[in-house]
Amino acid sequence: MGRSSRAARTAEPADTTGPGGRTHAQGPLSRPVGSGVAELRPDRDRPAAWSLLIDGAPQSLVDLADPTHLGFEYQRRLGHLIDLVAPPGRPITVLHLGGGALTLARYTAATRPRSRQQVAEIDTALTELVRTELPLERGWQIKVRGADARNVLERTPEAGVDLVITDVFSGARTPAHCTTVEFATLAARALAPGGWYAANIADGGALPFARSQVATLGAVFPELCLIADPAVLRGKRFGNLVLAAAHTPLPVADLTRRAASDPAHARVEHGRALTDFAAGAAPATDATAAPSPEPPPGVFR
C-alpha cells in the first residue's frame, strides 16, 4: 500500500517479452484477481506510467519507459536502501516478499544489472495481469513464486540474500503472520553477512503497530532505523513507515540526507530516539500478532 508524492507454485521466470505493454490510449483496466479487484490507471503526468490499485488501495506505480522512477514515497525510501546496501552498480541478491506490480524489482534490475531477484506473490492472477500489461525487460533475472511470503522465506537458503524486502499487504493490511519475531528470525537467517532487512508497514494515530514492529525487529536485529513522513510520526495522518534492520551498522547519515532531500520530506529515527519511540511496546509473536490496522475511511481519496 502506498501514497504517491502527489497525494504455492515452483519458481518460474518472470515475463521476458521485452519493451511494450499497455498504452494510455487503451485506457484504464479493471479485473478481478485473487486479492480483490485490480485496477490499472494511467498516470496523469507520465505517458508510460501506471498505478496499480487493489480494491481502491494504491499498491504500486510503474513507469514502463523509466524503471528507475519510484512514484510512491515509501518506494523511494526502499529505493534508498537498495542504493546503499552495496556499492553503486554492483549486482545484489534480493528477496521481495510481496510483489504487486514488481516496481522495486524493476528498479533493482535497472540500477544494478545482473542482480538476482526472487519475488513471492501469492496472488497469481495479479502476477499474470502484471506480466501481460506491464511486461518486464528481457534479461532481467527476476523469478516470481506464486506462494505465501512466509512459506517462501522458510525455504530460502541460509545466508544467501543481500536484501530482504517485506511489502506484504492483503488489501491495505499486513497479515499477522508476516509481522512477528519468528518471521524476522527467518529473515535474519536468510541474510548474507552484511545483509539488510527492510519492511514497509502502515499505521496512524499513536502508531501502536509501528511501535510494536520496532520492538519486534529489535528482538532479532541489533541495528535498526525507521523512515517516515514527520506528519505520520506525529500522528497527524495515516501513512507508510519503512523499517530497516541489520546485524551491522546501517548508513544512517546517508539515509537521513536522502530522506531529507526527497520531494516528500521524511525523518530517520534511530538510536535513542527510536528506543524511546518503541518504549513499552511488546514484540509481536506468532501467538500474539494481529494484522496492521485498517486505514481510516477516505484515506486514499
Side-chain angles (χ1 to χ4, degrees):
M1 186 200 74
R3 177 187 178 96
S4 75
S5 57
R6 294 187 300 272
R9 295 186 180 184
T10 56
E12 55 186 358
D15 186 88
T16 56
T17 57
R22 193 170 187 84
T23 66
H24 282 198
Q26 293 174 278
L29 174 68
S30 178
R31 183 176 299 170
V33 294
S35 51
V37 177
E39 298 176 73
L40 291 177
R41 295 182 183 174
D43 186 87
R44 294 192 303 270
D45 301 322
R46 302 180 73 90
W50 295 86
S51 293
L52 169 68
L53 299 87
I54 304 292
D55 289 340
Q59 301 289 328
S60 306
L61 188 144
V62 168
D63 190 333
L64 292 173
D66 180 9
T68 68
H69 175 70
L70 299 175
F72 286 0
E73 298 167 10
Y74 87 87
Q75 289 179 331
R76 291 198 297 277
R77 291 159 193 165
L78 289 168
H80 299 329
L81 295 170
I82 293 168
D83 292 341
L84 293 170
V85 72
R90 196 188 84 183
I92 57 175
T93 302
V94 187
L95 175 61
H96 301 266
L97 302 175
L102 308 176
T103 304
L104 291 169
R106 298 169 197 264
Y107 179 83
T108 304
T111 59
R112 296 184 175 277
R114 303 181 307 282
S115 290
R116 292 183 295 112
Q117 302 185 76
Q118 181 168 252
V119 181
E121 174 54 65
I122 196 170
D123 191 336
T124 55
L126 175 60
T127 298
E128 181 181 358
L129 174 66
V130 169
R131 287 174 167 174
T132 301
E133 303 293 341
L134 308 176
L136 304 178
E137 292 187 14
R138 295 184 184 276
W140 285 352
Q141 298 180 57
I142 301 171
K143 295 183 178 181
V144 181
R145 293 181 67 94
D148 176 79
R150 181 154 171 175
N151 289 342
V152 171
L153 185 58
E154 288 170 346
R155 297 195 297 270
T156 300
E158 185 174 355
V161 178
D162 297 309
L163 181 62
V164 175
I165 298 175
T166 297
D167 188 16
V168 180
F169 283 85
S170 177
R173 306 179 74 183
T174 301
H177 72 295
C178 294
T179 68
T180 67
V181 170
E182 292 87 347
F183 183 90
T185 300
L186 290 170
R189 174 184 173 276
L191 291 175
W196 299 352
Y197 175 74
N200 173 44
I201 62 172
D203 201 2
L207 303 174
F209 180 75
R211 296 175 195 278
S212 174
Q213 287 302 286
V214 172
T216 298
L217 293 185
V220 177
F221 295 96
E223 301 290 337
L224 300 175
C225 72
L226 180 152
I227 314 169
D229 186 311
V232 174
L233 289 172
R234 291 195 300 269
K236 299 297 184 182
R237 71 170 178 87
F238 189 94
N240 296 83
L241 306 94
V242 169
L243 287 164
H247 286 290
T248 55
L250 293 160
V252 172
D254 287 337
L255 283 170
T256 300
R257 284 192 292 270
R258 287 171 179 250
S261 63
D262 190 87
H265 171 73
R267 246 174 45 207
V268 178
E269 298 285 7
H270 64 100
R272 179 59 183 271
L274 191 57
T275 300
D276 291 345
F277 173 84
T285 68
D286 284 350
T288 64
S292 65
E294 193 79 50
V299 71
F300 302 126
R301 293 176 186 168

PDB file of all heavy atoms in Angstrom, residues 154-181:
ATOM      1  N   GLU A 154      10.660 -19.300   4.519  1.00  0.00           N
ATOM      2  CA  GLU A 154      11.069 -20.510   5.242  1.00  0.00           C
ATOM      3  C   GLU A 154      11.949 -21.410   4.385  1.00  0.00           C
ATOM      4  O   GLU A 154      12.808 -22.126   4.903  1.00  0.00           O
ATOM      5  CB  GLU A 154       9.831 -21.277   5.715  1.00  0.00           C
ATOM      6  CG  GLU A 154       9.098 -20.600   6.864  1.00  0.00           C
ATOM      7  CD  GLU A 154       7.749 -21.239   7.158  1.00  0.00           C
ATOM      8  OE1 GLU A 154       7.275 -22.039   6.295  1.00  0.00           O
ATOM      9  OE2 GLU A 154       7.174 -20.952   8.220  1.00  0.00           O
ATOM     10  N   ARG A 155      11.756 -21.375   3.073  1.00  0.00           N
ATOM     11  CA  ARG A 155      12.512 -22.225   2.166  1.00  0.00           C
ATOM     12  C   ARG A 155      13.741 -21.537   1.564  1.00  0.00           C
ATOM     13  O   ARG A 155      14.448 -22.149   0.766  1.00  0.00           O
ATOM     14  CB  ARG A 155      11.600 -22.721   1.034  1.00  0.00           C
ATOM     15  CG  ARG A 155      10.445 -23.587   1.519  1.00  0.00           C
ATOM     16  CD  ARG A 155       9.803 -24.342   0.364  1.00  0.00           C
ATOM     17  NE  ARG A 155       9.218 -23.442  -0.614  1.00  0.00           N
ATOM     18  CZ  ARG A 155       7.957 -23.004  -0.575  1.00  0.00           C
ATOM     19  NH1 ARG A 155       7.163 -23.355   0.419  1.00  0.00           N
ATOM     20  NH2 ARG A 155       7.492 -22.223  -1.523  1.00  0.00           N
ATOM     21  N   THR A 156      13.965 -20.300   1.935  1.00  0.00           N
ATOM     22  CA  THR A 156      15.120 -19.570   1.405  1.00  0.00           C
ATOM     23  C   THR A 156      16.397 -20.093   2.044  1.00  0.00           C
ATOM     24  O   THR A 156      16.474 -20.221   3.275  1.00  0.00           O
ATOM     25  CB  THR A 156      14.976 -18.063   1.677  1.00  0.00           C
ATOM     26  OG1 THR A 156      13.784 -17.586   1.036  1.00  0.00           O
ATOM     27  CG2 THR A 156      16.172 -17.290   1.153  1.00  0.00           C
ATOM     28  N   PRO A 157      17.423 -20.393   1.248  1.00  0.00           N
ATOM     29  CA  PRO A 157      18.672 -20.905   1.823  1.00  0.00           C
ATOM     30  C   PRO A 157      19.288 -19.926   2.814  1.00  0.00           C
ATOM     31  O   PRO A 157      19.156 -18.704   2.681  1.00  0.00           O
ATOM     32  CB  PRO A 157      19.569 -21.087   0.595  1.00  0.00           C
ATOM     33  CG  PRO A 157      18.627 -21.263  -0.543  1.00  0.00           C
ATOM     34  CD  PRO A 157      17.445 -20.400  -0.220  1.00  0.00           C
ATOM     35  N   GLU A 158      19.956 -20.472   3.786  1.00  0.00           N
ATOM     36  CA  GLU A 158      20.606 -19.659   4.815  1.00  0.00           C
ATOM     37  C   GLU A 158      21.726 -18.823   4.204  1.00  0.00           C
ATOM     38  O   GLU A 158      22.482 -19.286   3.355  1.00  0.00           O
ATOM     39  CB  GLU A 158      21.160 -20.568   5.910  1.00  0.00           C
ATOM     40  CG  GLU A 158      21.763 -19.829   7.089  1.00  0.00           C
ATOM     41  CD  GLU A 158      22.162 -20.765   8.207  1.00  0.00           C
ATOM     42  OE1 GLU A 158      21.876 -21.982   8.097  1.00  0.00           O
ATOM     43  OE2 GLU A 158      22.760 -20.278   9.200  1.00  0.00           O
ATOM     44  N   ALA A 159      21.800 -17.558   4.633  1.00  0.00           N
ATOM     45  CA  ALA A 159      22.894 -16.634   4.286  1.00  0.00           C
ATOM     46  C   ALA A 159      23.061 -16.461   2.780  1.00  0.00           C
ATOM     47  O   ALA A 159      24.170 -16.293   2.284  1.00  0.00           O
ATOM     48  CB  ALA A 159      24.210 -17.106   4.912  1.00  0.00           C
ATOM     49  N   GLY A 160      21.929 -16.450   2.033  1.00  0.00           N
ATOM     50  CA  GLY A 160      22.045 -16.375   0.590  1.00  0.00           C
ATOM     51  C   GLY A 160      21.553 -15.086  -0.045  1.00  0.00           C
ATOM     52  O   GLY A 160      21.604 -14.940  -1.266  1.00  0.00           O
ATOM     53  N   VAL A 161      21.080 -14.118   0.757  1.00  0.00           N
ATOM     54  CA  VAL A 161      20.414 -12.942   0.212  1.00  0.00           C
ATOM     55  C   VAL A 161      21.037 -11.669   0.784  1.00  0.00           C
ATOM     56  O   VAL A 161      21.279 -11.580   1.988  1.00  0.00           O
ATOM     57  CB  VAL A 161      18.900 -12.986   0.550  1.00  0.00           C
ATOM     58  CG1 VAL A 161      18.195 -11.758   0.030  1.00  0.00           C
ATOM     59  CG2 VAL A 161      18.259 -14.244  -0.015  1.00  0.00           C
ATOM     60  N   ASP A 162      21.279 -10.699  -0.068  1.00  0.00           N
ATOM     61  CA  ASP A 162      21.824  -9.415   0.394  1.00  0.00           C
ATOM     62  C   ASP A 162      20.758  -8.515   0.999  1.00  0.00           C
ATOM     63  O   ASP A 162      21.057  -7.700   1.876  1.00  0.00           O
ATOM     64  CB  ASP A 162      22.486  -8.675  -0.777  1.00  0.00           C
ATOM     65  CG  ASP A 162      23.662  -9.422  -1.356  1.00  0.00           C
ATOM     66  OD1 ASP A 162      24.549  -9.813  -0.571  1.00  0.00           O
ATOM     67  OD2 ASP A 162      23.693  -9.619  -2.590  1.00  0.00           O
ATOM     68  N   LEU A 163      19.533  -8.640   0.514  1.00  0.00           N
ATOM     69  CA  LEU A 163      18.463  -7.755   0.959  1.00  0.00           C
ATOM     70  C   LEU A 163      17.143  -8.502   0.921  1.00  0.00           C
ATOM     71  O   LEU A 163      16.795  -9.103  -0.098  1.00  0.00           O
ATOM     72  CB  LEU A 163      18.405  -6.525   0.039  1.00  0.00           C
ATOM     73  CG  LEU A 163      17.363  -5.448   0.346  1.00  0.00           C
ATOM     74  CD1 LEU A 163      17.600  -4.820   1.714  1.00  0.00           C
ATOM     75  CD2 LEU A 163      17.387  -4.362  -0.748  1.00  0.00           C
ATOM     76  N   VAL A 164      16.418  -8.469   2.027  1.00  0.00           N
ATOM     77  CA  VAL A 164      15.045  -8.973   2.093  1.00  0.00           C
ATOM     78  C   VAL A 164      14.126  -7.776   2.259  1.00  0.00           C
ATOM     79  O   VAL A 164      14.309  -6.965   3.181  1.00  0.00           O
ATOM     80  CB  VAL A 164      14.833  -9.955   3.264  1.00  0.00           C
ATOM     81  CG1 VAL A 164      13.363 -10.360   3.370  1.00  0.00           C
ATOM     82  CG2 VAL A 164      15.715 -11.186   3.111  1.00  0.00           C
ATOM     83  N   ILE A 165      13.166  -7.631   1.353  1.00  0.00           N
ATOM     84  CA  ILE A 165      12.200  -6.539   1.421  1.00  0.00           C
ATOM     85  C   ILE A 165      10.815  -7.137   1.634  1.00  0.00           C
ATOM     86  O   ILE A 165      10.323  -7.909   0.812  1.00  0.00           O
ATOM     87  CB  ILE A 165      12.202  -5.695   0.134  1.00  0.00           C
ATOM     88  CG1 ILE A 165      13.570  -5.048  -0.080  1.00  0.00           C
ATOM     89  CG2 ILE A 165      11.110  -4.622   0.198  1.00  0.00           C
ATOM     90  CD1 ILE A 165      13.681  -4.287  -1.403  1.00  0.00           C
ATOM     91  N   THR A 166      10.182  -6.776   2.744  1.00  0.00           N
ATOM     92  CA  THR A 166       8.813  -7.207   3.021  1.00  0.00           C
ATOM     93  C   THR A 166       7.862  -6.070   2.721  1.00  0.00           C
ATOM     94  O   THR A 166       7.934  -5.003   3.341  1.00  0.00           O
ATOM     95  CB  THR A 166       8.665  -7.654   4.489  1.00  0.00           C
ATOM     96  OG1 THR A 166       9.497  -8.792   4.725  1.00  0.00           O
ATOM     97  CG2 THR A 166       7.224  -8.039   4.795  1.00  0.00           C
ATOM     98  N   ASP A 167       6.983  -6.294   1.760  1.00  0.00           N
ATOM     99  CA  ASP A 167       5.963  -5.318   1.375  1.00  0.00           C
ATOM    100  C   ASP A 167       4.676  -6.102   1.130  1.00  0.00           C
ATOM    101  O   ASP A 167       4.128  -6.111   0.036  1.00  0.00           O
ATOM    102  CB  ASP A 167       6.423  -4.561   0.125  1.00  0.00           C
ATOM    103  CG  ASP A 167       5.508  -3.406  -0.235  1.00  0.00           C
ATOM    104  OD1 ASP A 167       4.700  -2.984   0.626  1.00  0.00           O
ATOM    105  OD2 ASP A 167       5.583  -2.920  -1.386  1.00  0.00           O
ATOM    106  N   VAL A 168       4.238  -6.778   2.180  1.00  0.00           N
ATOM    107  CA  VAL A 168       3.130  -7.724   2.082  1.00  0.00           C
ATOM    108  C   VAL A 168       1.853  -7.066   2.591  1.00  0.00           C
ATOM    109  O   VAL A 168       1.777  -6.659   3.754  1.00  0.00           O
ATOM    110  CB  VAL A 168       3.416  -9.003   2.897  1.00  0.00           C
ATOM    111  CG1 VAL A 168       2.258  -9.979   2.774  1.00  0.00           C
ATOM    112  CG2 VAL A 168       4.708  -9.652   2.432  1.00  0.00           C
ATOM    113  N   PHE A 169       0.865  -6.970   1.709  1.00  0.00           N
ATOM    114  CA  PHE A 169      -0.424  -6.424   2.100  1.00  0.00           C
ATOM    115  C   PHE A 169      -1.533  -7.301   1.552  1.00  0.00           C
ATOM    116  O   PHE A 169      -1.491  -7.736   0.399  1.00  0.00           O
ATOM    117  CB  PHE A 169      -0.605  -4.997   1.566  1.00  0.00           C
ATOM    118  CG  PHE A 169       0.152  -3.968   2.362  1.00  0.00           C
ATOM    119  CD1 PHE A 169       1.488  -3.703   2.080  1.00  0.00           C
ATOM    120  CD2 PHE A 169      -0.453  -3.283   3.397  1.00  0.00           C
ATOM    121  CE1 PHE A 169       2.198  -2.776   2.813  1.00  0.00           C
ATOM    122  CE2 PHE A 169       0.250  -2.350   4.139  1.00  0.00           C
ATOM    123  CZ  PHE A 169       1.583  -2.089   3.848  1.00  0.00           C
ATOM    124  N   SER A 170      -2.505  -7.581   2.401  1.00  0.00           N
ATOM    125  CA  SER A 170      -3.753  -8.187   1.964  1.00  0.00           C
ATOM    126  C   SER A 170      -4.764  -7.055   1.956  1.00  0.00           C
ATOM    127  O   SER A 170      -5.226  -6.614   3.013  1.00  0.00           O
ATOM    128  CB  SER A 170      -4.180  -9.303   2.928  1.00  0.00           C
ATOM    129  OG  SER A 170      -5.418  -9.838   2.546  1.00  0.00           O
ATOM    130  N   GLY A 171      -5.073  -6.535   0.762  1.00  0.00           N
ATOM    131  CA  GLY A 171      -5.795  -5.276   0.680  1.00  0.00           C
ATOM    132  C   GLY A 171      -4.888  -4.169   1.172  1.00  0.00           C
ATOM    133  O   GLY A 171      -3.835  -3.918   0.602  1.00  0.00           O
ATOM    134  N   ALA A 172      -5.263  -3.526   2.250  1.00  0.00           N
ATOM    135  CA  ALA A 172      -4.457  -2.438   2.807  1.00  0.00           C
ATOM    136  C   ALA A 172      -3.857  -2.796   4.166  1.00  0.00           C
ATOM    137  O   ALA A 172      -3.407  -1.912   4.894  1.00  0.00           O
ATOM    138  CB  ALA A 172      -5.312  -1.179   2.944  1.00  0.00           C
ATOM    139  N   ARG A 173      -3.813  -4.111   4.516  1.00  0.00           N
ATOM    140  CA  ARG A 173      -3.308  -4.519   5.823  1.00  0.00           C
ATOM    141  C   ARG A 173      -2.230  -5.580   5.668  1.00  0.00           C
ATOM    142  O   ARG A 173      -2.327  -6.458   4.807  1.00  0.00           O
ATOM    143  CB  ARG A 173      -4.452  -5.060   6.692  1.00  0.00           C
ATOM    144  CG  ARG A 173      -5.617  -4.119   6.820  1.00  0.00           C
ATOM    145  CD  ARG A 173      -6.727  -4.706   7.679  1.00  0.00           C
ATOM    146  NE  ARG A 173      -6.383  -4.706   9.097  1.00  0.00           N
ATOM    147  CZ  ARG A 173      -7.155  -5.227  10.051  1.00  0.00           C
ATOM    148  NH1 ARG A 173      -8.301  -5.813   9.729  1.00  0.00           N
ATOM    149  NH2 ARG A 173      -6.781  -5.189  11.305  1.00  0.00           N
ATOM    150  N   THR A 174      -1.213  -5.506   6.509  1.00  0.00           N
ATOM    151  CA  THR A 174      -0.173  -6.526   6.526  1.00  0.00           C
ATOM    152  C   THR A 174      -0.663  -7.716   7.343  1.00  0.00           C
ATOM    153  O   THR A 174      -1.072  -7.555   8.499  1.00  0.00           O
ATOM    154  CB  THR A 174       1.120  -5.980   7.156  1.00  0.00           C
ATOM    155  OG1 THR A 174       1.561  -4.851   6.402  1.00  0.00           O
ATOM    156  CG2 THR A 174       2.208  -7.041   7.151  1.00  0.00           C
ATOM    157  N   PRO A 175      -0.632  -8.932   6.787  1.00  0.00           N
ATOM    158  CA  PRO A 175      -1.097 -10.104   7.540  1.00  0.00           C
ATOM    159  C   PRO A 175      -0.257 -10.345   8.792  1.00  0.00           C
ATOM    160  O   PRO A 175       0.959 -10.111   8.800  1.00  0.00           O
ATOM    161  CB  PRO A 175      -0.937 -11.253   6.532  1.00  0.00           C
ATOM    162  CG  PRO A 175      -0.871 -10.603   5.199  1.00  0.00           C
ATOM    163  CD  PRO A 175      -0.229  -9.267   5.419  1.00  0.00           C
ATOM    164  N   ALA A 176      -0.910 -10.840   9.831  1.00  0.00           N
ATOM    165  CA  ALA A 176      -0.252 -11.005  11.127  1.00  0.00           C
ATOM    166  C   ALA A 176       0.967 -11.915  11.052  1.00  0.00           C
ATOM    167  O   ALA A 176       1.990 -11.653  11.714  1.00  0.00           O
ATOM    168  CB  ALA A 176      -1.255 -11.546  12.150  1.00  0.00           C
ATOM    169  N   HIS A 177       0.905 -12.983  10.263  1.00  0.00           N
ATOM    170  CA  HIS A 177       1.995 -13.962  10.282  1.00  0.00           C
ATOM    171  C   HIS A 177       3.281 -13.437   9.632  1.00  0.00           C
ATOM    172  O   HIS A 177       4.310 -14.103   9.703  1.00  0.00           O
ATOM    173  CB  HIS A 177       1.549 -15.266   9.623  1.00  0.00           C
ATOM    174  CG  HIS A 177       1.393 -15.197   8.143  1.00  0.00           C
ATOM    175  ND1 HIS A 177       0.446 -14.406   7.521  1.00  0.00           N
ATOM    176  CD2 HIS A 177       2.056 -15.823   7.139  1.00  0.00           C
ATOM    177  CE1 HIS A 177       0.530 -14.552   6.214  1.00  0.00           C
ATOM    178  NE2 HIS A 177       1.506 -15.410   5.955  1.00  0.00           N
ATOM    179  N   CYS A 178       3.203 -12.227   9.044  1.00  0.00           N
ATOM    180  CA  CYS A 178       4.401 -11.606   8.463  1.00  0.00           C
ATOM    181  C   CYS A 178       4.900 -10.441   9.310  1.00  0.00           C
ATOM    182  O   CYS A 178       5.635  -9.569   8.817  1.00  0.00           O
ATOM    183  CB  CYS A 178       4.103 -11.131   7.041  1.00  0.00           C
ATOM    184  SG  CYS A 178       3.750 -12.453   5.870  1.00  0.00           S
ATOM    185  N   THR A 179       4.523 -10.418  10.579  1.00  0.00           N
ATOM    186  CA  THR A 179       4.881  -9.281  11.446  1.00  0.00           C
ATOM    187  C   THR A 179       5.543  -9.711  12.748  1.00  0.00           C
ATOM    188  O   THR A 179       5.668  -8.899  13.661  1.00  0.00           O
ATOM    189  CB  THR A 179       3.612  -8.471  11.798  1.00  0.00           C
ATOM    190  OG1 THR A 179       2.762  -9.268  12.647  1.00  0.00           O
ATOM    191  CG2 THR A 179       2.842  -8.041  10.561  1.00  0.00           C
ATOM    192  N   THR A 180       5.995 -10.952  12.866  1.00  0.00           N
ATOM    193  CA  THR A 180       6.366 -11.499  14.168  1.00  0.00           C
ATOM    194  C   THR A 180       7.871 -11.680  14.342  1.00  0.00           C
ATOM    195  O   THR A 180       8.638 -11.624  13.381  1.00  0.00           O
ATOM    196  CB  THR A 180       5.685 -12.862  14.377  1.00  0.00           C
ATOM    197  OG1 THR A 180       6.243 -13.807  13.433  1.00  0.00           O
ATOM    198  CG2 THR A 180       4.190 -12.768  14.155  1.00  0.00           C
ATOM    199  N   VAL A 181       8.253 -11.927  15.578  1.00  0.00           N
ATOM    200  CA  VAL A 181       9.655 -12.250  15.877  1.00  0.00           C
ATOM    201  C   VAL A 181      10.097 -13.480  15.097  1.00  0.00           C
ATOM    202  O   VAL A 181      11.219 -13.520  14.570  1.00  0.00           O
ATOM    203  CB  VAL A 181       9.834 -12.470  17.401  1.00  0.00           C
ATOM    204  CG1 VAL A 181      11.219 -13.049  17.699  1.00  0.00           C
ATOM    205  CG2 VAL A 181       9.642 -11.160  18.151  1.00  0.00           C
TER     206      VAL A 181
END
